[in-house]
Amino acid sequence: MHDLLMIDGLQYSNWNEEIFRQMQSGGLSAVHATIAYHENARETLSRIGEWNRRFETWPELIRPVREAADIRLAHQEGRVGIFFGFQNCSPIEDDISLVEIFRQLGVLIMQLTYNNQSLLASGCYETEDNGISRFGRQVISEMNRVGMLIDMSHSAERSTLQAIELSSRPVIVSHANPSSFHAAKRNKSNAVLRGIAESGGLLGFSTYPFHLKGASGCTLEAFCDMVANTADLMGVEHIGIGTDLCQQQPLGVLEWMRNGRWSKDKDYGEGSKDNASWPSPLQWFRDSRDFPVIARGLQARGFAEDEVRNIMGLNWLRLLESATTAQH
Amino acid sequence: MHDLLMIDGLQYSNWNEEIFRQMQSGGLSAVHATIAYHENARETLSRIGEWNRRFETWPELIRPVREAADIRLAHQEGRVGIFFGFQNCSPIEDDISLVEIFRQLGVLIMQLTYNNQSLLASGCYETEDNGISRFGRQVISEMNRVGMLIDMSHSAERSTLQAIELSSRPVIVSHANPSSFHAAKRNKSNAVLRGIAESGGLLGFSTYPFHLKGASGCTLEAFCDMVANTADLMGVEHIGIGTDLCQQQPLGVLEWMRNGRWSKDKDYGEGSKDNASWPSPLQWFRDSRDFPVIARGLQARGFAEDEVRNIMGLNWLRLLESATTAQH
């Protein structure tokens, strides 16, 4: 298969030239880069500033994706398009007007929660799930208007189903796997996966070991079986890849992701006190260079060429093209 | 003269539907709206958010100007294009990366100072003028790169001449008058005006009474004489209009402009303790509806039709088109 347009639906790495070269040599045309976990509005501007600096420093490797169409340009240019997303709603603080402003700055995706209850919804680690808050309803409607995708990867079940019901546009889970494959708090029930598909959205399969059966020992064959089973459930047009790659990040970043400024006790997220660090990577998926391994695995599992093309990138591309335009 | 494309190079009004209708009936195709005096980055996002709300509320009257070309669209549509500017550098705080981020949000113009010394330069009310600071040199170069116009309306003389020398692109004074016409701290020497013209920049003539000989009693004829004399000095392609209209603003806003958060003693700016409030408006220029009065005055003063067109808007338009593109 030549000239695949491949998209990774989530990464949060310690961005540097080596990582961008890996993306390029793996054949990626675009990567959804997380730019905020717990950052407020001002701090998020600094994250965007850091990316602008990277775009200036490595123009031969990466380019900004302000609108989905820029991904096709990146593909033609042989560069990697970077599109921004938030894993939390902290950047908009309590201010509805910041949704549009961050969309103007190229933020195409926002999660309504990151594990914890937010001003908008409940996270997947809370014991109680109140669904979507008053502010949450306003934000969903504003995200629909300006064309910012709603991502429920780290949200609780009831909140997720309500968000799908309230949203007039597709809702996604950019990086997670089905609970039926591996029962983890971050993975998703069949009810959620069906809802995502019915909304016109997409599930991005995660290669993060905590989301996989057998963790770091999960085989390519088991991963591709999971993809095939999910294609049967959701429809092959509603699945993609969202690796959740966090390359070269020190433990302190993992601790920031898990604890932000919200906890005095240490929270271990998907790990535990005895297993507090980053998991070992998969043998067959070290980093972005191994994207073609997944494509070949899917082919070997029996997916047709056009299905592989859709799963590896075109489903993401079409969704971004249709769901991130402004509505008038 | 039909179908003039007219631009006001500075207003800071208490924006509402009535004011937008006045702009439209005065025939304005674009207005440079000040969105910050003393605001920090976060507060400036709120000002942009308020404008986004206005664009959503009155789409038949106003439209955003994110790039200069949008002004031609506004003219065709019969709407008023609004482009953003800062009268101070407070929105970028101490962070060079905020220059590009605010440019991405449509800020086309920034003053390096507002009356006082800033992190970048000295203001026209300081007794000492150190010229351009270390950070100021970085910011000038970054403004040149991203295509944000340098405005020295409220800056001190030496700082202004240095900014012109350091900048590789045009420098403007969006709203002031020649000191030779009326000696006010805010008005500009012939040396500054010549420097602005040599840089390829522009002077926008102010209708703010404190900047005019005879203040509120200044006649249209005297104003047009000033324009003619300045055209002789700078060249007719380097002048435009920048009214400094501040309509329907309460005294508290004038006090905010003058005092921000920086002074415990009350500063009266161009006024005084006995004359602390807004000056009375000119008889022949109440508000935006009287733009055609200026055009007719210039014609009566002997300007040719194409000169009137240039002064009333096309000089501003061409400058914005050439000086607010990104440089690679």
Side-chain angles (χ1 to χ4, degrees), chain A residues 41-42 45-46 48-49 52 56 66 93 95 97-98 100-101 104-105 145, chain B residues 41-42 45-46 49 52 56 66 93 95 97-98 100-101 104-105 145:
Chain A
R42 176 63 186 85
L45 294 184
S46 289
I48 294 174
N52 282 341
E56 213 184 325
R66 311 275 185 220
E93 300 176 358
D95 186 344
S97 77
L98 292 180
E100 182 168 17
I101 287 174
Q104 288 176 248
L105 289 169
R145 185 181 75 83
Chain B
R42 176 63 186 85
L45 294 184
S46 289
N52 283 342
E56 211 185 325
R66 312 275 184 220
E93 300 176 359
D95 186 345
S97 77
L98 292 181
E100 183 169 16
I101 287 174
Q104 289 178 248
L105 289 170
R145 186 181 74 83

PDB file of all heavy atoms in Angstrom, chain A residues 41-42 45-46 48-49 52 56 66 93 95 97-98 100-101 104-105 145, chain B residues 41-42 45-46 49 52 56 66 93 95 97-98 100-101 104-105 145:
ATOM      1  N   ALA A  41      -6.155  29.544  31.025  1.00  0.00           N
ATOM      2  CA  ALA A  41      -6.108  30.220  29.718  1.00  0.00           C
ATOM      3  C   ALA A  41      -4.715  30.791  29.430  1.00  0.00           C
ATOM      4  O   ALA A  41      -4.145  30.574  28.360  1.00  0.00           O
ATOM      5  CB  ALA A  41      -7.163  31.327  29.664  1.00  0.00           C
ATOM      6  N   ARG A  42      -4.179  31.507  30.388  1.00  0.00           N
ATOM      7  CA  ARG A  42      -2.885  32.155  30.165  1.00  0.00           C
ATOM      8  C   ARG A  42      -1.777  31.134  29.926  1.00  0.00           C
ATOM      9  O   ARG A  42      -0.922  31.313  29.049  1.00  0.00           O
ATOM     10  CB  ARG A  42      -2.543  33.049  31.362  1.00  0.00           C
ATOM     11  CG  ARG A  42      -1.173  33.709  31.303  1.00  0.00           C
ATOM     12  CD  ARG A  42      -1.071  34.662  30.115  1.00  0.00           C
ATOM     13  NE  ARG A  42       0.277  35.193  29.949  1.00  0.00           N
ATOM     14  CZ  ARG A  42       1.247  34.561  29.277  1.00  0.00           C
ATOM     15  NH1 ARG A  42       1.025  33.387  28.705  1.00  0.00           N
ATOM     16  NH2 ARG A  42       2.435  35.119  29.162  1.00  0.00           N
ATOM     17  N   LEU A  45      -1.899  29.773  26.466  1.00  0.00           N
ATOM     18  CA  LEU A  45      -1.265  30.636  25.455  1.00  0.00           C
ATOM     19  C   LEU A  45       0.233  30.334  25.368  1.00  0.00           C
ATOM     20  O   LEU A  45       0.819  30.320  24.280  1.00  0.00           O
ATOM     21  CB  LEU A  45      -1.474  32.116  25.788  1.00  0.00           C
ATOM     22  CG  LEU A  45      -2.905  32.655  25.728  1.00  0.00           C
ATOM     23  CD1 LEU A  45      -2.907  34.158  26.000  1.00  0.00           C
ATOM     24  CD2 LEU A  45      -3.563  32.366  24.384  1.00  0.00           C
ATOM     25  N   SER A  46       0.864  30.083  26.504  1.00  0.00           N
ATOM     26  CA  SER A  46       2.296  29.753  26.476  1.00  0.00           C
ATOM     27  C   SER A  46       2.542  28.430  25.763  1.00  0.00           C
ATOM     28  O   SER A  46       3.532  28.282  25.036  1.00  0.00           O
ATOM     29  CB  SER A  46       2.859  29.695  27.903  1.00  0.00           C
ATOM     30  OG  SER A  46       2.918  30.994  28.445  1.00  0.00           O
ATOM     31  N   ILE A  48       0.765  27.266  23.311  1.00  0.00           N
ATOM     32  CA  ILE A  48       0.629  27.576  21.879  1.00  0.00           C
ATOM     33  C   ILE A  48       1.870  28.312  21.391  1.00  0.00           C
ATOM     34  O   ILE A  48       2.381  28.050  20.298  1.00  0.00           O
ATOM     35  CB  ILE A  48      -0.664  28.381  21.620  1.00  0.00           C
ATOM     36  CG1 ILE A  48      -1.889  27.503  21.935  1.00  0.00           C
ATOM     37  CG2 ILE A  48      -0.724  28.888  20.169  1.00  0.00           C
ATOM     38  CD1 ILE A  48      -3.224  28.222  21.862  1.00  0.00           C
ATOM     39  N   GLY A  49       2.371  29.224  22.231  1.00  0.00           N
ATOM     40  CA  GLY A  49       3.603  29.936  21.884  1.00  0.00           C
ATOM     41  C   GLY A  49       4.768  28.981  21.676  1.00  0.00           C
ATOM     42  O   GLY A  49       5.566  29.151  20.751  1.00  0.00           O
ATOM     43  N   ASN A  52       4.324  27.446  18.311  1.00  0.00           N
ATOM     44  CA  ASN A  52       4.676  28.374  17.220  1.00  0.00           C
ATOM     45  C   ASN A  52       6.186  28.413  17.035  1.00  0.00           C
ATOM     46  O   ASN A  52       6.680  28.485  15.901  1.00  0.00           O
ATOM     47  CB  ASN A  52       4.143  29.776  17.515  1.00  0.00           C
ATOM     48  CG  ASN A  52       2.652  29.902  17.246  1.00  0.00           C
ATOM     49  OD1 ASN A  52       2.080  29.076  16.529  1.00  0.00           O
ATOM     50  ND2 ASN A  52       2.023  30.912  17.820  1.00  0.00           N
ATOM     51  N   GLU A  56       8.396  27.337  13.698  1.00  0.00           N
ATOM     52  CA  GLU A  56       9.414  28.229  13.133  1.00  0.00           C
ATOM     53  C   GLU A  56      10.768  27.507  13.036  1.00  0.00           C
ATOM     54  O   GLU A  56      11.529  27.750  12.106  1.00  0.00           O
ATOM     55  CB  GLU A  56       9.529  29.442  14.071  1.00  0.00           C
ATOM     56  CG  GLU A  56       9.866  30.732  13.386  1.00  0.00           C
ATOM     57  CD  GLU A  56      10.048  31.871  14.389  1.00  0.00           C
ATOM     58  OE1 GLU A  56       9.344  31.912  15.428  1.00  0.00           O
ATOM     59  OE2 GLU A  56      10.920  32.722  14.124  1.00  0.00           O
ATOM     60  N   ARG A  66      -4.365  24.530  11.162  1.00  0.00           N
ATOM     61  CA  ARG A  66      -5.361  25.434  11.777  1.00  0.00           C
ATOM     62  C   ARG A  66      -6.764  25.008  11.344  1.00  0.00           C
ATOM     63  O   ARG A  66      -7.738  25.222  12.049  1.00  0.00           O
ATOM     64  CB  ARG A  66      -5.129  26.880  11.348  1.00  0.00           C
ATOM     65  CG  ARG A  66      -3.704  27.351  11.480  1.00  0.00           C
ATOM     66  CD  ARG A  66      -3.372  27.846  12.864  1.00  0.00           C
ATOM     67  NE  ARG A  66      -2.023  28.391  12.878  1.00  0.00           N
ATOM     68  CZ  ARG A  66      -1.166  28.213  13.871  1.00  0.00           C
ATOM     69  NH1 ARG A  66      -1.510  27.513  14.929  1.00  0.00           N
ATOM     70  NH2 ARG A  66       0.041  28.724  13.817  1.00  0.00           N
ATOM     71  N   GLU A  93     -11.453  27.981  31.444  1.00  0.00           N
ATOM     72  CA  GLU A  93     -11.821  28.491  32.773  1.00  0.00           C
ATOM     73  C   GLU A  93     -13.347  28.492  32.921  1.00  0.00           C
ATOM     74  O   GLU A  93     -13.967  27.473  32.616  1.00  0.00           O
ATOM     75  CB  GLU A  93     -11.180  29.879  32.992  1.00  0.00           C
ATOM     76  CG  GLU A  93      -9.649  29.782  32.895  1.00  0.00           C
ATOM     77  CD  GLU A  93      -8.913  31.117  33.009  1.00  0.00           C
ATOM     78  OE1 GLU A  93      -9.557  32.166  33.127  1.00  0.00           O
ATOM     79  OE2 GLU A  93      -7.658  31.099  32.991  1.00  0.00           O
ATOM     80  N   ASP A  95     -15.316  30.684  31.244  1.00  0.00           N
ATOM     81  CA  ASP A  95     -15.612  31.748  30.281  1.00  0.00           C
ATOM     82  C   ASP A  95     -15.982  31.162  28.918  1.00  0.00           C
ATOM     83  O   ASP A  95     -15.131  30.698  28.171  1.00  0.00           O
ATOM     84  CB  ASP A  95     -14.353  32.626  30.177  1.00  0.00           C
ATOM     85  CG  ASP A  95     -14.566  33.865  29.316  1.00  0.00           C
ATOM     86  OD1 ASP A  95     -15.552  33.914  28.554  1.00  0.00           O
ATOM     87  OD2 ASP A  95     -13.715  34.769  29.394  1.00  0.00           O
ATOM     88  N   SER A  97     -16.647  32.491  26.225  1.00  0.00           N
ATOM     89  CA  SER A  97     -16.057  33.150  25.056  1.00  0.00           C
ATOM     90  C   SER A  97     -14.697  32.554  24.694  1.00  0.00           C
ATOM     91  O   SER A  97     -14.205  32.735  23.570  1.00  0.00           O
ATOM     92  CB  SER A  97     -15.925  34.653  25.283  1.00  0.00           C
ATOM     93  OG  SER A  97     -14.832  34.947  26.116  1.00  0.00           O
ATOM     94  N   LEU A  98     -14.075  31.830  25.615  1.00  0.00           N
ATOM     95  CA  LEU A  98     -12.755  31.266  25.302  1.00  0.00           C
ATOM     96  C   LEU A  98     -12.838  30.074  24.355  1.00  0.00           C
ATOM     97  O   LEU A  98     -11.841  29.702  23.731  1.00  0.00           O
ATOM     98  CB  LEU A  98     -12.024  30.894  26.595  1.00  0.00           C
ATOM     99  CG  LEU A  98     -11.620  32.089  27.465  1.00  0.00           C
ATOM    100  CD1 LEU A  98     -10.895  31.627  28.723  1.00  0.00           C
ATOM    101  CD2 LEU A  98     -10.744  33.076  26.688  1.00  0.00           C
ATOM    102  N   GLU A 100     -14.472  29.947  21.453  1.00  0.00           N
ATOM    103  CA  GLU A 100     -14.242  30.481  20.107  1.00  0.00           C
ATOM    104  C   GLU A 100     -12.807  30.989  19.943  1.00  0.00           C
ATOM    105  O   GLU A 100     -12.181  30.800  18.901  1.00  0.00           O
ATOM    106  CB  GLU A 100     -15.231  31.615  19.813  1.00  0.00           C
ATOM    107  CG  GLU A 100     -15.074  32.166  18.397  1.00  0.00           C
ATOM    108  CD  GLU A 100     -16.219  33.086  17.985  1.00  0.00           C
ATOM    109  OE1 GLU A 100     -16.955  33.562  18.875  1.00  0.00           O
ATOM    110  OE2 GLU A 100     -16.370  33.315  16.769  1.00  0.00           O
ATOM    111  N   ILE A 101     -12.289  31.643  20.975  1.00  0.00           N
ATOM    112  CA  ILE A 101     -10.937  32.193  20.884  1.00  0.00           C
ATOM    113  C   ILE A 101      -9.914  31.071  20.694  1.00  0.00           C
ATOM    114  O   ILE A 101      -9.022  31.170  19.845  1.00  0.00           O
ATOM    115  CB  ILE A 101     -10.639  33.066  22.121  1.00  0.00           C
ATOM    116  CG1 ILE A 101     -11.439  34.375  22.001  1.00  0.00           C
ATOM    117  CG2 ILE A 101      -9.140  33.346  22.243  1.00  0.00           C
ATOM    118  CD1 ILE A 101     -11.352  35.269  23.214  1.00  0.00           C
ATOM    119  N   GLN A 104     -10.119  29.809  17.229  1.00  0.00           N
ATOM    120  CA  GLN A 104      -9.406  30.704  16.308  1.00  0.00           C
ATOM    121  C   GLN A 104      -7.909  30.410  16.317  1.00  0.00           C
ATOM    122  O   GLN A 104      -7.219  30.610  15.321  1.00  0.00           O
ATOM    123  CB  GLN A 104      -9.616  32.173  16.707  1.00  0.00           C
ATOM    124  CG  GLN A 104     -11.012  32.698  16.435  1.00  0.00           C
ATOM    125  CD  GLN A 104     -11.183  34.134  16.935  1.00  0.00           C
ATOM    126  OE1 GLN A 104     -11.920  34.413  17.874  1.00  0.00           O
ATOM    127  NE2 GLN A 104     -10.495  35.064  16.292  1.00  0.00           N
ATOM    128  N   LEU A 105      -7.400  29.963  17.463  1.00  0.00           N
ATOM    129  CA  LEU A 105      -5.976  29.660  17.571  1.00  0.00           C
ATOM    130  C   LEU A 105      -5.661  28.230  17.128  1.00  0.00           C
ATOM    131  O   LEU A 105      -4.542  27.757  17.300  1.00  0.00           O
ATOM    132  CB  LEU A 105      -5.497  29.901  19.010  1.00  0.00           C
ATOM    133  CG  LEU A 105      -5.435  31.384  19.404  1.00  0.00           C
ATOM    134  CD1 LEU A 105      -5.225  31.540  20.900  1.00  0.00           C
ATOM    135  CD2 LEU A 105      -4.323  32.107  18.625  1.00  0.00           C
ATOM    136  N   ARG A 145     -21.127  25.140  17.518  1.00  0.00           N
ATOM    137  CA  ARG A 145     -21.216  26.338  16.664  1.00  0.00           C
ATOM    138  C   ARG A 145     -19.887  26.676  16.006  1.00  0.00           C
ATOM    139  O   ARG A 145     -19.821  26.929  14.805  1.00  0.00           O
ATOM    140  CB  ARG A 145     -21.693  27.537  17.510  1.00  0.00           C
ATOM    141  CG  ARG A 145     -21.940  28.799  16.685  1.00  0.00           C
ATOM    142  CD  ARG A 145     -22.390  29.966  17.566  1.00  0.00           C
ATOM    143  NE  ARG A 145     -21.310  30.538  18.339  1.00  0.00           N
ATOM    144  CZ  ARG A 145     -20.435  31.449  17.878  1.00  0.00           C
ATOM    145  NH1 ARG A 145     -20.541  31.905  16.638  1.00  0.00           N
ATOM    146  NH2 ARG A 145     -19.469  31.904  18.643  1.00  0.00           N
TER     147      ARG A 145
ATOM    148  N   ALA B  41      -2.599  39.734  29.335  1.00  0.00           N
ATOM    149  CA  ALA B  41      -2.968  38.775  28.278  1.00  0.00           C
ATOM    150  C   ALA B  41      -4.366  38.195  28.504  1.00  0.00           C
ATOM    151  O   ALA B  41      -5.201  38.176  27.602  1.00  0.00           O
ATOM    152  CB  ALA B  41      -1.934  37.649  28.220  1.00  0.00           C
ATOM    153  N   ARG B  42      -4.611  37.739  29.718  1.00  0.00           N
ATOM    154  CA  ARG B  42      -5.902  37.092  29.991  1.00  0.00           C
ATOM    155  C   ARG B  42      -7.066  38.064  29.813  1.00  0.00           C
ATOM    156  O   ARG B  42      -8.112  37.715  29.256  1.00  0.00           O
ATOM    157  CB  ARG B  42      -5.885  36.515  31.416  1.00  0.00           C
ATOM    158  CG  ARG B  42      -7.200  35.897  31.856  1.00  0.00           C
ATOM    159  CD  ARG B  42      -7.571  34.709  30.992  1.00  0.00           C
ATOM    160  NE  ARG B  42      -8.897  34.185  31.308  1.00  0.00           N
ATOM    161  CZ  ARG B  42     -10.033  34.664  30.781  1.00  0.00           C
ATOM    162  NH1 ARG B  42     -10.016  35.669  29.916  1.00  0.00           N
ATOM    163  NH2 ARG B  42     -11.184  34.117  31.105  1.00  0.00           N
ATOM    164  N   LEU B  45      -7.889  38.586  26.219  1.00  0.00           N
ATOM    165  CA  LEU B  45      -8.735  37.527  25.635  1.00  0.00           C
ATOM    166  C   LEU B  45     -10.208  37.841  25.892  1.00  0.00           C
ATOM    167  O   LEU B  45     -11.054  37.615  25.013  1.00  0.00           O
ATOM    168  CB  LEU B  45      -8.392  36.154  26.239  1.00  0.00           C
ATOM    169  CG  LEU B  45      -7.013  35.578  25.933  1.00  0.00           C
ATOM    170  CD1 LEU B  45      -6.893  34.171  26.529  1.00  0.00           C
ATOM    171  CD2 LEU B  45      -6.731  35.535  24.432  1.00  0.00           C
ATOM    172  N   SER B  46     -10.512  38.383  27.040  1.00  0.00           N
ATOM    173  CA  SER B  46     -11.911  38.739  27.315  1.00  0.00           C
ATOM    174  C   SER B  46     -12.390  39.863  26.403  1.00  0.00           C
ATOM    175  O   SER B  46     -13.537  39.854  25.947  1.00  0.00           O
ATOM    176  CB  SER B  46     -12.094  39.150  28.776  1.00  0.00           C
ATOM    177  OG  SER B  46     -11.974  38.013  29.607  1.00  0.00           O
ATOM    178  N   GLY B  49     -13.108  38.280  23.234  1.00  0.00           N
ATOM    179  CA  GLY B  49     -14.359  37.533  23.390  1.00  0.00           C
ATOM    180  C   GLY B  49     -15.573  38.446  23.287  1.00  0.00           C
ATOM    181  O   GLY B  49     -16.586  38.097  22.668  1.00  0.00           O
ATOM    182  N   ASN B  52     -16.073  39.163  19.649  1.00  0.00           N
ATOM    183  CA  ASN B  52     -16.675  38.013  18.943  1.00  0.00           C
ATOM    184  C   ASN B  52     -18.180  37.985  19.160  1.00  0.00           C
ATOM    185  O   ASN B  52     -18.950  37.682  18.245  1.00  0.00           O
ATOM    186  CB  ASN B  52     -16.036  36.704  19.414  1.00  0.00           C
ATOM    187  CG  ASN B  52     -14.669  36.479  18.798  1.00  0.00           C
ATOM    188  OD1 ASN B  52     -14.321  37.093  17.784  1.00  0.00           O
ATOM    189  ND2 ASN B  52     -13.888  35.603  19.402  1.00  0.00           N
ATOM    190  N   GLU B  56     -21.212  38.330  16.370  1.00  0.00           N
ATOM    191  CA  GLU B  56     -22.306  37.360  16.302  1.00  0.00           C
ATOM    192  C   GLU B  56     -23.654  38.070  16.411  1.00  0.00           C
ATOM    193  O   GLU B  56     -24.631  37.643  15.791  1.00  0.00           O
ATOM    194  CB  GLU B  56     -22.114  36.399  17.487  1.00  0.00           C
ATOM    195  CG  GLU B  56     -22.596  34.986  17.223  1.00  0.00           C
ATOM    196  CD  GLU B  56     -22.478  34.123  18.485  1.00  0.00           C
ATOM    197  OE1 GLU B  56     -21.513  34.298  19.280  1.00  0.00           O
ATOM    198  OE2 GLU B  56     -23.369  33.276  18.657  1.00  0.00           O
ATOM    199  N   ARG B  66      -9.620  40.064  10.022  1.00  0.00           N
ATOM    200  CA  ARG B  66      -8.482  39.291  10.542  1.00  0.00           C
ATOM    201  C   ARG B  66      -7.256  39.548   9.680  1.00  0.00           C
ATOM    202  O   ARG B  66      -6.129  39.470  10.117  1.00  0.00           O
ATOM    203  CB  ARG B  66      -8.776  37.788  10.527  1.00  0.00           C
ATOM    204  CG  ARG B  66     -10.112  37.406  11.119  1.00  0.00           C
ATOM    205  CD  ARG B  66     -10.053  37.254  12.626  1.00  0.00           C
ATOM    206  NE  ARG B  66     -11.347  36.783  13.123  1.00  0.00           N
ATOM    207  CZ  ARG B  66     -11.924  37.211  14.235  1.00  0.00           C
ATOM    208  NH1 ARG B  66     -11.334  38.126  14.982  1.00  0.00           N
ATOM    209  NH2 ARG B  66     -13.087  36.737  14.613  1.00  0.00           N
ATOM    210  N   GLU B  93       2.564  41.167  27.986  1.00  0.00           N
ATOM    211  CA  GLU B  93       3.284  40.982  29.258  1.00  0.00           C
ATOM    212  C   GLU B  93       4.792  40.959  28.984  1.00  0.00           C
ATOM    213  O   GLU B  93       5.294  41.869  28.321  1.00  0.00           O
ATOM    214  CB  GLU B  93       2.768  39.705  29.952  1.00  0.00           C
ATOM    215  CG  GLU B  93       1.267  39.811  30.242  1.00  0.00           C
ATOM    216  CD  GLU B  93       0.635  38.569  30.841  1.00  0.00           C
ATOM    217  OE1 GLU B  93       1.316  37.559  31.038  1.00  0.00           O
ATOM    218  OE2 GLU B  93      -0.584  38.616  31.125  1.00  0.00           O
ATOM    219  N   ASP B  95       6.338  38.379  27.423  1.00  0.00           N
ATOM    220  CA  ASP B  95       6.395  37.114  26.687  1.00  0.00           C
ATOM    221  C   ASP B  95       6.387  37.370  25.180  1.00  0.00           C
ATOM    222  O   ASP B  95       5.359  37.672  24.586  1.00  0.00           O
ATOM    223  CB  ASP B  95       5.189  36.278  27.121  1.00  0.00           C
ATOM    224  CG  ASP B  95       5.206  34.867  26.550  1.00  0.00           C
ATOM    225  OD1 ASP B  95       5.978  34.609  25.608  1.00  0.00           O
ATOM    226  OD2 ASP B  95       4.421  34.044  27.044  1.00  0.00           O
ATOM    227  N   SER B  97       6.362  35.415  22.795  1.00  0.00           N
ATOM    228  CA  SER B  97       5.505  34.527  21.998  1.00  0.00           C
ATOM    229  C   SER B  97       4.083  35.060  21.875  1.00  0.00           C
ATOM    230  O   SER B  97       3.326  34.636  21.007  1.00  0.00           O
ATOM    231  CB  SER B  97       5.497  33.117  22.586  1.00  0.00           C
ATOM    232  OG  SER B  97       4.676  33.050  23.729  1.00  0.00           O
ATOM    233  N   LEU B  98       3.709  36.004  22.735  1.00  0.00           N
ATOM    234  CA  LEU B  98       2.340  36.528  22.662  1.00  0.00           C
ATOM    235  C   LEU B  98       2.142  37.464  21.471  1.00  0.00           C
ATOM    236  O   LEU B  98       1.004  37.713  21.060  1.00  0.00           O
ATOM    237  CB  LEU B  98       1.963  37.211  23.972  1.00  0.00           C
ATOM    238  CG  LEU B  98       1.833  36.256  25.170  1.00  0.00           C
ATOM    239  CD1 LEU B  98       1.426  37.029  26.419  1.00  0.00           C
ATOM    240  CD2 LEU B  98       0.809  35.150  24.889  1.00  0.00           C
ATOM    241  N   GLU B 100       2.944  36.853  18.286  1.00  0.00           N
ATOM    242  CA  GLU B 100       2.385  36.038  17.204  1.00  0.00           C
ATOM    243  C   GLU B 100       0.979  35.542  17.549  1.00  0.00           C
ATOM    244  O   GLU B 100       0.093  35.508  16.689  1.00  0.00           O
ATOM    245  CB  GLU B 100       3.305  34.838  16.927  1.00  0.00           C
ATOM    246  CG  GLU B 100       2.814  33.987  15.769  1.00  0.00           C
ATOM    247  CD  GLU B 100       3.831  32.956  15.308  1.00  0.00           C
ATOM    248  OE1 GLU B 100       4.799  32.673  16.053  1.00  0.00           O
ATOM    249  OE2 GLU B 100       3.661  32.435  14.183  1.00  0.00           O
ATOM    250  N   ILE B 101       0.781  35.173  18.805  1.00  0.00           N
ATOM    251  CA  ILE B 101      -0.534  34.647  19.196  1.00  0.00           C
ATOM    252  C   ILE B 101      -1.612  35.722  19.021  1.00  0.00           C
ATOM    253  O   ILE B 101      -2.681  35.455  18.478  1.00  0.00           O
ATOM    254  CB  ILE B 101      -0.477  34.099  20.634  1.00  0.00           C
ATOM    255  CG1 ILE B 101       0.318  32.778  20.626  1.00  0.00           C
ATOM    256  CG2 ILE B 101      -1.874  33.890  21.207  1.00  0.00           C
ATOM    257  CD1 ILE B 101       0.581  32.185  21.993  1.00  0.00           C
ATOM    258  N   GLN B 104      -2.342  36.158  15.419  1.00  0.00           N
ATOM    259  CA  GLN B 104      -3.244  35.091  14.960  1.00  0.00           C
ATOM    260  C   GLN B 104      -4.696  35.418  15.299  1.00  0.00           C
ATOM    261  O   GLN B 104      -5.609  35.019  14.585  1.00  0.00           O
ATOM    262  CB  GLN B 104      -2.877  33.753  15.623  1.00  0.00           C
ATOM    263  CG  GLN B 104      -1.590  33.140  15.126  1.00  0.00           C
ATOM    264  CD  GLN B 104      -1.254  31.839  15.873  1.00  0.00           C
ATOM    265  OE1 GLN B 104      -0.291  31.780  16.624  1.00  0.00           O
ATOM    266  NE2 GLN B 104      -2.049  30.816  15.671  1.00  0.00           N
ATOM    267  N   LEU B 105      -4.900  36.141  16.389  1.00  0.00           N
ATOM    268  CA  LEU B 105      -6.261  36.509  16.798  1.00  0.00           C
ATOM    269  C   LEU B 105      -6.727  37.802  16.130  1.00  0.00           C
ATOM    270  O   LEU B 105      -7.766  38.341  16.468  1.00  0.00           O
ATOM    271  CB  LEU B 105      -6.334  36.626  18.324  1.00  0.00           C
ATOM    272  CG  LEU B 105      -6.249  35.280  19.057  1.00  0.00           C
ATOM    273  CD1 LEU B 105      -6.082  35.476  20.556  1.00  0.00           C
ATOM    274  CD2 LEU B 105      -7.495  34.425  18.776  1.00  0.00           C
ATOM    275  N   ARG B 145       8.222  40.406  11.764  1.00  0.00           N
ATOM    276  CA  ARG B 145       8.119  39.046  11.218  1.00  0.00           C
ATOM    277  C   ARG B 145       6.670  38.609  11.025  1.00  0.00           C
ATOM    278  O   ARG B 145       6.306  38.085   9.972  1.00  0.00           O
ATOM    279  CB  ARG B 145       8.826  38.055  12.158  1.00  0.00           C
ATOM    280  CG  ARG B 145       8.909  36.635  11.611  1.00  0.00           C
ATOM    281  CD  ARG B 145       9.595  35.685  12.590  1.00  0.00           C
ATOM    282  NE  ARG B 145       8.766  35.333  13.725  1.00  0.00           N
ATOM    283  CZ  ARG B 145       7.843  34.384  13.728  1.00  0.00           C
ATOM    284  NH1 ARG B 145       7.642  33.641  12.654  1.00  0.00           N
ATOM    285  NH2 ARG B 145       7.112  34.126  14.799  1.00  0.00           N
TER     286      ARG B 145
END
